[in-house]
Amino acid sequence: METVLYTPNHETPQIKRSIRRLERDLLRMGALVEQSFRLCHQALFNRDLMAAEQIPRLDKKIDRFYRQIESDCTTIITHQSPTEQDLRCLSAFMQLVRDLERIGDYAKELADIAIKIFPYPPHSSLPRIAIMSQHAQAMLATCLVALAELDETSGQRMNQLDDAVDNAYEHLYQTFAHIQDFPGVIEPILLLTLAIRSLERMADHATNIAQRVTYIVTGQRC
């Protein structure tokens, strides 16, 4: 059965069809972003460079969806006389698509980090960073399910996962910042610091998506 995120004004079938097409494109884009996130996790924590090499191709697809969805939203707003409810949905879509695109960009950054850090021995902090990554991936999955089902109640689980990511980031950052008499080159620590920052920002964008869904459903901004 086809999932319908939003039912616009039945008296404007063209807008109805256009918004449903946008919904499908958003979910397809979300699936690509999830795939990209899984691959960068595999690249960084399983030292799988073949996974890292797949991400630039996915990122190009994500960027194409981003440009197309944003353009389609603008066209509908400009030419199809949307209702107030339509505008609320379209404005949320335009914000959603930016958040998804940024998560994809951070996945690409993590893949680049995986390639640069590959020559070095695995750092002892990697298992903790992997758990942080798993929490951020769970946040992305949760917000995409919320989008598919228009579930505005996902906020509590998102907040719990976001707290876990933020706490992990703070702890790991402090650990890296206070290393003394570090043996060898500092590059692996700098790369891992960039990695945890990327994961923290990915979690923030997933939270934004969940908040956009709440706005679509309730009209209330979180």
Side-chain angles (χ1 to χ4, degrees):
M1 182 176 180
E2 183 182 3
T3 299
V4 178
L5 301 185
Y6 173 68
T7 304
N9 190 337
H10 291 288
E11 296 179 358
T12 54
Q14 185 177 359
I15 288 184
K16 182 178 180 180
R17 289 192 298 271
S18 298
I19 292 181
R20 284 187 175 178
R21 185 174 63 251
L22 284 171
E23 293 165 0
R24 289 192 293 270
D25 286 346
L26 271 170
L27 293 174
R28 290 187 186 113
M29 181 181 178
L32 290 173
V33 173
E34 276 197 296
Q35 183 182 357
S36 190
F37 202 157
R38 285 194 299 269
L39 285 169
C40 75
H41 181 98
Q42 187 175 336
L44 186 57
F45 302 109
N46 296 346
R47 298 171 68 83
D48 183 350
L49 296 188
M50 291 183 65
E53 291 169 358
Q54 296 179 55
I55 292 178
R57 175 180 55 83
L58 285 173
D59 190 58
K60 289 180 180 178
K61 292 182 179 180
I62 291 167
D63 288 344
R64 283 197 294 271
F65 268 117
Y66 168 60
R67 291 190 295 269
Q68 186 60 54
I69 292 169
E70 192 170 60
S71 174
D72 288 346
C73 286
T74 302
T75 299
I76 294 170
I77 291 170
T78 304
H79 299 294
Q80 295 192 29
S81 301
T83 65
E84 182 178 349
Q85 190 179 12
D86 295 330
L87 285 171
R88 187 172 80 201
C89 186
L90 291 165
S91 67
F93 282 0
M94 293 180 76
Q95 294 169 325
L96 269 165
V97 77
R98 293 189 190 104
D99 287 310
L100 284 172
E101 191 269 341
R102 289 302 296 141
I103 294 173
D105 284 345
Y106 283 118
K108 188 171 181 290
E109 288 184 16
L110 285 170
D112 291 340
I113 289 169
I115 292 169
K116 290 176 182 176
I117 208 169
F118 183 82
Y120 298 102
H123 193 267
S124 60
S125 66
L126 280 174
R128 285 177 291 163
I129 301 175
I131 293 172
M132 183 182 178
S133 175
Q134 288 164 357
H135 286 319
Q137 287 181 76
M139 291 179 71
L140 176 60
T142 298
C143 74
L144 289 175
V145 170
L147 177 61
E149 298 178 355
L150 275 192
D151 176 15
E152 79 278 17
T153 66
S154 63
Q156 184 174 0
R157 174 163 166 73
M158 291 291 289
N159 289 337
Q160 291 171 347
L161 289 167
D162 192 42
D163 287 344
V165 171
D166 288 344
N167 290 338
Y169 171 78
E170 183 62 27
H171 179 76
L172 286 160
Y173 181 86
Q174 291 301 324
T175 299
F176 296 151
H178 292 92
I179 292 176
Q180 295 181 348
D181 301 323
F182 183 76
V185 295
I186 197 69
E187 185 181 26
I189 298 301
L190 295 177
L191 290 170
L192 291 175
T193 303
L194 291 173
I196 62 173
R197 178 57 178 165
S198 293
L199 289 168
E200 190 267 342
R201 292 301 298 136
M202 292 163 99
D204 286 345
H205 284 290
T207 299
N208 288 347
I209 292 170
Q211 291 174 349
R212 315 293 188 209
V213 173
T214 299
Y215 175 66
I216 292 172
V217 177
T218 68
Q220 301 298 315
R221 296 189 181 275
C222 298

